[in-house]
Structures are given as C-alpha cells and as structure tokens.
Amino acid sequence: MLSEDLIALAMERMRPYACEGFVRGRGPRGADLMFVGEAPGKTELEVGKPFTGQAGKVFSGYLDRLGVTREEVFITSAVRSRPYKIIEKVVDGKKVIKNYNRTPNKKEILAHAPILDEEIRQVQPKILIPMGKTAVWRLTGWNTSMQEITGRLFETSIMELESLDQKTYRPTKEKYSVFPIYHPAAILYARRLEAKAYQDIDQLKQLKDSI
Ligand code: URA
C-alpha cells in the first residue's frame, strides 16, 4: 500500500537519529477505525507487526472489548521506526549496556509525517483514534493532558505535513472524527487508568456501532 519511495524518504530522514527498522502499518483500506500509536518497540521490530509486545496485549483487550479483529481495523503510529536509547549501567560491579525503547521526538515524527498522511488518505477511516499524547499531538497539534480529552469525540481538522524542509504542518481542509484514548502502555505503567480506559473503549464501541 505504501510506496517504497515514501518509506525510503522516511528512512533517509531518520538517518541522523537513534532509530532502527521499519514496521508497516497494517489493515484494510476503508477500515472504519484507524488506531494511531507512538512508535514500534523491540518486539514489533522482531515480529514485523504493530502492537505485538506487552502493550499489544492490552491493545488486543481493547479490540476484544470493541468486538473487532485486527484484520478489520487499521493500526499504525506517528513513527514507524523504533526509537531507542542506549544506557550503560553497573550491575554487581559489571558494566551492562541496555538498549531501551523511547518516545520519538518532534524531528522523528516529522520525518515519518508523509507516511501517516498517506495512510490516512488511503484508508479514509470513519474514526481516527490517537492513543496517547504523541499521537494526539501529531494528529491535532494539541498539547492537552490525556485526562481532559480521552473518551470524547472531536470533529476537527487534523495536521498534515506542509513542508519537510520548513518543518511545518497545516490543518486539513476536511474535518475528521477524532476519538483520543489512552495508549495501551499507559495502563501497564499506571493501573489506576485502567477503569477509565475501558470506559472510553465502551464509548468508542457505541460510536462504532452507530456508524
Ligand atoms: N507502541 C506503539 O505505539 N506502537 C507499537 O506498535 C507498539 C507499541
């Protein structure tokens, strides 16, 4: 679905950054729901599919509750390469080097912007579901706390890339239905969010069933 040229351009733009690999978004054109995460992690890179690691288990729970399969929805993220950081630690007197997933920065998000724009153009989802702050920022430019916006439907223009060189986005002419939810990993780190996250998913199910 994505042209090799578009992927090559993103990879070229990612060269200065500590990012590796490329995991394509997955799902059918015309999917009603498009989930937008942050970036793939180590497991996703190994498996070659989005949301297959620890956060993927929570994500599968979201889908079960919605009554949909992975094959019916489109799953992607703001960045499709794995951002990492190397940390040296001393454990029991021995130097250990660890390679961790990290949140993508604005430059990395920009480098991948043409990919997400293209996926949205091709899929034309009925509802765009940004999961977590990075995806909300990428799609809307909002810096709001998740607490204030999850489980609510916004009819809004979204941000599409205007110029890679100028590093600018512009609002789309069309409006989209955007329904932010917590990133599945947020629940792993903060169990107190779980009840609200599933309440939001129930709201989303009602919305999905009404379209
Ligand atoms: N987090 C994401 O945002 N995407 C994945 O594919 C995995 C974890």
Side-chain angles (χ1 to χ4, degrees), residues 9-140:
L9 174 69
M11 297 304 275
E12 179 58 30
R13 294 256 168 189
M14 291 301 271
R15 277 222 299 208
Y17 313 120
C19 282
E20 59 179 355
F22 188 91
V23 183
R24 286 169 184 267
R26 283 175 81 91
R29 274 183 196 232
D32 285 346
L33 308 183
M34 181 188 261
F35 291 89
V36 183
E38 187 173 275
K42 217 179 172 84
T43 311
E44 283 75 23
L45 221 59
E46 280 161 18
V47 179
K49 293 182 189 167
F51 285 100
T52 40
Q54 283 299 104
K57 291 186 189 146
V58 178
F59 180 68
S60 295
Y62 282 0
L63 296 185
D64 290 346
R65 202 159 169 126
L66 283 168
V68 293
T69 64
R70 284 188 182 238
E71 287 66 39
E72 288 171 75
V73 300
F74 199 92
I75 311 166
T76 186
S77 52
V79 168
R80 302 263 10 113
S81 298
R82 173 185 176 245
Y84 63 88
K85 61 182 170 212
I86 307 264
I87 294 180
E88 276 189 23
K89 281 186 182 169
V90 178
V91 180
D92 297 333
K94 279 199 204 132
K95 197 159 85 178
V96 182
I97 297 177
K98 290 229 173 194
N99 180 323
Y100 292 96
N101 298 338
R102 69 172 164 80
T103 302
N105 62 38
K106 299 249 162 94
K107 290 179 183 166
E108 293 159 348
I109 294 171
L110 185 86
H112 280 247
I115 292 188
L116 184 59
D117 286 349
E118 181 61 17
E119 287 174 328
I120 294 171
R121 267 194 293 272
Q122 289 187 1
V123 177
Q124 288 296 314
K126 297 226 170 73
I127 312 174
L128 266 167
I129 305 150
M131 301 191 287
K133 266 191 95 91
T134 299
V136 167
W137 181 83
R138 166 60 181 91
L139 284 178
T140 64

